[in-house]
């Protein structure tokens, strides 16, 4: 069995992911829609506008890198191992950074009273 179909499938999966991330960046930057900023359990923080520039940067950079990978593959400029490494690293870094931003924006939780 050849690994060739898996290569094509992973490459085709980059299109909707890049579109989704760039659409989120567009919504934050131009429509001022903060409903998907720093999500935790599907809910944005109370001060979502404060965290919007960070989420915008994460989505814009991630989407731009994936579009660059897509174009480079179509032009034949990158070998399989190279573009998979770039795309995979970008996917994981975006997931980790968005997760960390969501946790940071929502805080640790309710402050506990101190027992003395």
């Amino acid at each position: 069995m050849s690994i060739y179909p898996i290569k094509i499938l992973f490459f085709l999966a980059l299109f909707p992911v890049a579109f989704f991330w760039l659409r989120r960046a567009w919504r934050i930057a131009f429509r001022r829609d903060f409903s998907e900023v720093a999500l935790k359990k599907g809910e944005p923080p109370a001060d979502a506008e404060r965290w919007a520039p960070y989420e915008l940067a994460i989505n814009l950079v991630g989407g731009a890198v994936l579009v660059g990978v897509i174009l480079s593959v179509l032009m034949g400029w990158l070998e399989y191992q190279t573009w998979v490494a770039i795309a995979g690293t970008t996917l994981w870094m975006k997931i980790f950074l968005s997760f960390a931003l969501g946790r940071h924006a929502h805080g640790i939780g309710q402050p506990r009273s101190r027992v003395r």
Side-chain angles (χ1 to χ4, degrees), residues 3-113:
I3 197 162
Y4 189 70
I6 294 173
K7 293 178 184 180
I8 294 172
L9 189 63
F10 185 61
F11 177 70
L12 292 176
L14 295 179
F15 286 86
V17 172
F19 171 77
F20 179 73
W21 290 351
L22 291 174
R23 185 184 67 181
R24 286 181 81 178
W26 174 267
R27 286 181 177 177
I28 293 168
F30 295 106
R31 291 191 178 175
R32 311 287 295 160
D33 178 8
F34 305 128
S35 62
E36 295 183 10
V37 171
L39 298 178
K40 181 177 180 182
K41 296 183 181 177
E43 296 292 325
D47 56 347
E49 189 172 359
R50 174 182 175 199
W51 305 101
Y54 304 107
E55 189 75 30
L56 171 66
I58 291 169
N59 284 291
L60 189 61
V61 169
V65 169
L66 289 186
V67 167
V69 167
I70 290 168
L71 293 175
S72 296
V73 169
L74 291 175
M75 300 294 245
W77 295 340
L78 293 176
E79 295 178 6
Y80 173 73
Q81 294 295 328
T82 305
W83 72 261
V84 166
I86 295 169
T89 303
T90 303
L91 287 166
W92 281 109
M93 290 304 296
K94 196 281 185 194
I95 290 169
F96 288 145
L97 291 173
S98 289
F99 179 83
L101 181 65
R103 296 312 173 265
H104 187 70
H106 285 273
I108 295 175
Q110 298 294 333
R112 295 185 290 180
S113 61

